[in-house]
Amino acid sequence: MAELVYRPIVGAACVLFKALDLKIDIQGAQNIPKTGGAVLVSNHIGYLDFIFAGLAALPQKRLVRFMAKESVFRHRIGGPLMRGMKHIPVDRAKGEDAYSHALDALRAGEIVGVFPEATISQSFALKSFKSGAARLAQEAGVPLIPVALWGTQRLWTKGRPRNLKRSHIPVTIRVGEPVEAPTDQYAGAITRRLRDRVQELLESAQRAYPVRPKDAADTWWVPAHLGGTAPTPAEVQVREAR
């Protein structure tokens, strides 16, 4: 079936990124399978992560169907676009519907994108992973593809204003080798192995990132454990509990 919405949206996004002069560095795209189903698993640090994680699949001419919270699909502009791109709405009160939808897509040979941290990490450090991605891969008999993003938080993230002006921000994307999800292993064990791989890719992306904060006021996007002023995971947990 022709992609009447997805491909034009991708084209428009690429034009916008070129206008913003974003320095997008993708390595490991060859690890995205050219055919067949797969679960693409990425860290989550900004509102535009689904776009950048999706870019990682373009060199292999693949499109990714992301699982996203149902409220996004109710937006008067974003909703029709999300549905037209065949992304998968997740209603947390009826999670089994989204799971079934994603499973059908995987069995039909699609790539399904999942953010297993569930919400944006405001510390920009990797949070714990939910096991849904591993369970999907096990049941569909497909691999997990680990992805790490870095720099997307500088464009638009939770608690910060959007920065969609010509600011030459680098975005680093790393794609790892497939992680198998055999059915004779616990989903929790597979999830821990997957998280370790995403952590390795994230650290690689951070080391490769070509710029550092300009001054003390610009350290907000760097995790505390790397010397930045982003809140620590513990601080975020206290803030969210209030």
Side-chain angles (χ1 to χ4, degrees):
M1 183 180 294
E3 295 287 347
L4 300 179
V5 176
Y6 207 140
R7 293 195 187 280
I9 290 294
V10 169
C14 290
V15 170
L16 173 62
F17 294 159
K18 186 173 182 179
L20 296 175
D21 194 30
L22 300 186
K23 310 299 184 183
I24 301 175
D25 171 24
I26 303 175
Q27 290 188 18
Q30 72 277 4
N31 291 314
I32 303 286
K34 290 185 176 181
T35 60
V39 182
L40 185 150
V41 177
S42 173
N43 65 318
H44 198 9
I45 52 176
Y47 287 117
L48 302 180
D49 287 346
F50 75 99
I51 298 177
F52 290 102
L55 288 182
L58 289 186
Q60 299 289 69
K61 303 187 187 313
R62 301 300 303 273
L63 300 175
V64 183
R65 316 299 178 184
F66 282 94
M67 301 182 76
K69 60 183 180 180
E70 191 268 341
S71 60
V72 176
F73 291 77
R74 295 198 303 266
H75 190 276
R76 64 185 183 88
I77 297 175
L81 295 178
M82 293 293 283
R83 288 188 291 273
M85 289 185 281
K86 304 173 193 170
H87 294 312
I88 301 170
V90 179
D91 182 345
R92 291 182 181 176
K94 300 177 181 178
E96 64 278 4
D97 291 344
Y99 186 92
S100 178
H101 187 169
L103 193 57
D104 288 344
L106 290 168
R107 287 171 170 165
E110 299 272 16
I111 297 178
V112 171
V114 177
F115 296 107
E117 297 168 281
T119 58
I120 288 174
S121 171
Q122 296 179 65
S123 69
F124 309 130
L126 205 60
K127 298 164 60 178
S128 61
F129 278 18
K130 297 186 181 299
S131 63
R135 290 188 288 108
L136 277 171
Q138 285 182 304
E139 195 164 347
V142 301
L144 295 146
I145 309 298
V147 174
L149 307 173
W150 191 245
T152 64
Q153 75 273 35
R154 299 180 65 198
L155 294 167
W156 190 13
T157 194
K158 191 171 184 178
R160 300 287 305 188
R162 283 173 291 186
N163 181 13
L164 298 180
K165 57 186 179 181
R166 190 176 173 84
S167 49
H168 320 291
I169 290 175
V171 172
T172 302
I173 304 170
R174 294 291 181 265
V175 185
E177 295 181 355
V179 174
E180 298 303 321
T183 56
D184 61 350
Q185 294 184 13
Y186 288 114
I190 297 169
T191 300
R192 288 190 292 274
R193 188 163 68 248
L194 176 66
R195 186 187 181 280
D196 288 345
R197 186 62 184 126
V198 174
Q199 179 66 41
E200 292 171 0
L201 293 168
L202 178 58
E203 291 173 3
S204 174
Q206 291 167 336
R207 287 193 299 269
Y209 201 65
V211 302
R212 297 293 179 265
K214 299 187 296 291
D215 50 38
D218 191 41
T219 59
W220 65 267
W221 55 271
V222 180
H225 72 274
L226 294 180
T229 54
T232 66
E235 289 169 340
V236 173
Q237 190 173 22
V238 169
R239 181 188 302 172
E240 292 178 342
R242 290 173 182 168

